[in-house]
Amino acid sequence: MQFFKGRFAKRSHVAAQVPDGQRVYAIGDIHGEAMLLNRLLVNIHKDLKTRASKQVTLVLLGDLIDRGPDSAVILRAMMAAEDMSVVVLKGNHEQALVHAYRGDDQALEFWMEYGGITTLRSFGINPDGLDYASLRAAMRQRIEPAIIEWMDSRPLHFSIGGYFFTHAGVRPGVPLEEQVEDDLLWIREPFLNSQRDHGKVVVHGHTIIAAPVELGGNSICIDTGGHEFGRLTALGLEGEQQWVVDAAEADLPESIPGYAGQGEAE
């Protein structure tokens, strides 16, 4: 588990805007925690009721899976929910599962060490005592190929107005249109301490922050440790406004249509 405290040094404000008539909510790393996601979506809905009607886009920054118990539920729900108003980005954990499923033993070893075992169990797979060949055969039997294809086809980034959304961050000094997959999914330094103007404000997860979300800088990290601390966070954006919605206690329905909580893990 990695935490990053240095990013709370003072940073200069970078003016950014969302186009008129639009509002964005970006959600950080969920890591298999469907209950937290449901709570956060309820609180986003409450936040919407306090604001004027706008076109709303929901952006999930990747790492939907692993560590928490509900990866299968979340993946199936997000596949069903995705449309023009819901953007799901790829995270490094989705990349690892795709590579592991397709035959990469190194990716499989990494993935199981960093939370993949709970994802296997969410699909009804017991990995105990299985060698890699047997485990992969079980994965191919229990995890629908359509889910793997969907994860692999997730975009690496999304832009709107003055904001650039990606899982991990960007390589400082490299134009946004020239960023490579490895950095977008895995980078920490030199990005996390960079004071550079990246061309847009970079909204990202991947590195847990052990303090409140800091707004107004050249980048905004919203991985607040959903699995580790029970803190799942969304960043709200409208015009030049930036605000935070979290997954504090909420009155939960049995499910939220189009989002998480539908169906049961095998």
Side-chain angles (χ1 to χ4, degrees):
M1 185 186 306
Q2 283 192 269
F3 302 91
F4 187 78
K5 299 180 181 177
R7 70 177 292 105
F8 297 100
K10 183 177 171 125
R11 295 176 298 169
S12 59
H13 175 74
V14 177
Q17 289 189 350
V18 170
D20 290 343
Q22 300 192 50
R23 182 180 301 129
V24 177
Y25 293 94
I27 296 178
D29 303 36
I30 299 165
H31 279 305
E33 298 290 348
M35 183 62 74
L36 282 178
L37 178 58
N38 273 354
R39 286 178 179 165
L40 182 56
L41 291 171
V42 167
N43 288 342
I44 287 173
H45 184 65
K46 291 179 179 178
D47 187 69
L48 284 169
K49 289 183 176 180
T50 69
R51 303 177 186 274
S53 178
K54 304 280 184 180
Q55 178 181 334
V56 175
T57 302
L58 183 68
V59 182
L60 283 73
L61 298 179
D63 281 7
L64 280 63
I65 64 170
D66 298 345
R67 298 179 178 150
D70 307 314
S71 292
V73 169
I74 292 170
L75 286 173
R76 289 168 178 150
M78 289 300 108
M79 285 181 66
E82 191 181 30
D83 58 24
M84 292 297 291
S85 66
V86 181
V87 178
V88 182
L89 302 181
K90 183 188 289 187
N92 61 304
H93 282 254
E94 284 81 35
Q95 183 197 59
L97 171 51
V98 169
H99 289 179
Y101 185 94
R102 292 177 175 170
D104 185 332
D105 285 349
Q106 185 176 3
L108 181 57
E109 181 178 9
F110 164 85
W111 180 64
M112 290 182 65
E113 182 177 355
Y114 288 94
I117 290 176
T118 55
T119 298
L120 291 170
R121 295 190 189 282
S122 77
F123 281 98
I125 301 168
N126 181 0
D128 295 345
L130 297 182
D131 60 25
Y132 283 179
S134 300
L135 181 57
R136 190 168 286 113
M139 291 169 66
R140 291 171 177 169
Q141 182 180 24
R142 301 290 294 184
I143 303 176
E144 304 93 306
I147 288 180
I148 300 300
E149 295 301 324
W150 181 81
M151 284 192 296
D152 194 31
S153 66
R154 294 309 81 219
L156 298 171
H157 56 81
F158 172 74
S159 292
I160 186 170
Y163 293 92
F164 182 88
F165 303 84
T166 193
H167 177 61
V170 299
R171 178 71 55 180
V174 177
L176 293 178
E177 64 273 14
E178 297 178 15
Q179 296 288 327
V180 300
E181 180 176 35
D182 191 60
D183 285 334
L184 295 172
L185 295 182
W186 293 91
I187 198 168
R188 297 190 197 275
E189 296 299 352
F191 166 69
L192 292 172
N193 269 316
S194 175
Q195 305 295 314
R196 298 186 66 140
D197 180 353
H198 302 302
K200 296 188 176 189
V201 173
V202 178
V203 180
H204 67 101
H206 185 58
T207 299
I208 297 172
I209 52 173
V213 172
E214 182 182 10
L215 305 177
N218 63 345
S219 65
I220 303 173
C221 181
I222 55 172
D223 182 357
T224 50
H227 174 70
E228 290 79 5
F229 300 139
R231 295 169 48 209
L232 185 63
T233 297
L235 171 68
L237 302 168
E238 180 182 335
E240 291 188 347
Q241 297 179 62
Q242 302 173 345
W243 68 96
V244 171
V245 181
D246 63 32
E249 289 294 334
D251 295 327
L252 295 178
E254 291 183 2
S255 66
I256 299 176
Y259 294 111
Q262 299 180 358
E264 297 179 354
E266 296 178 356

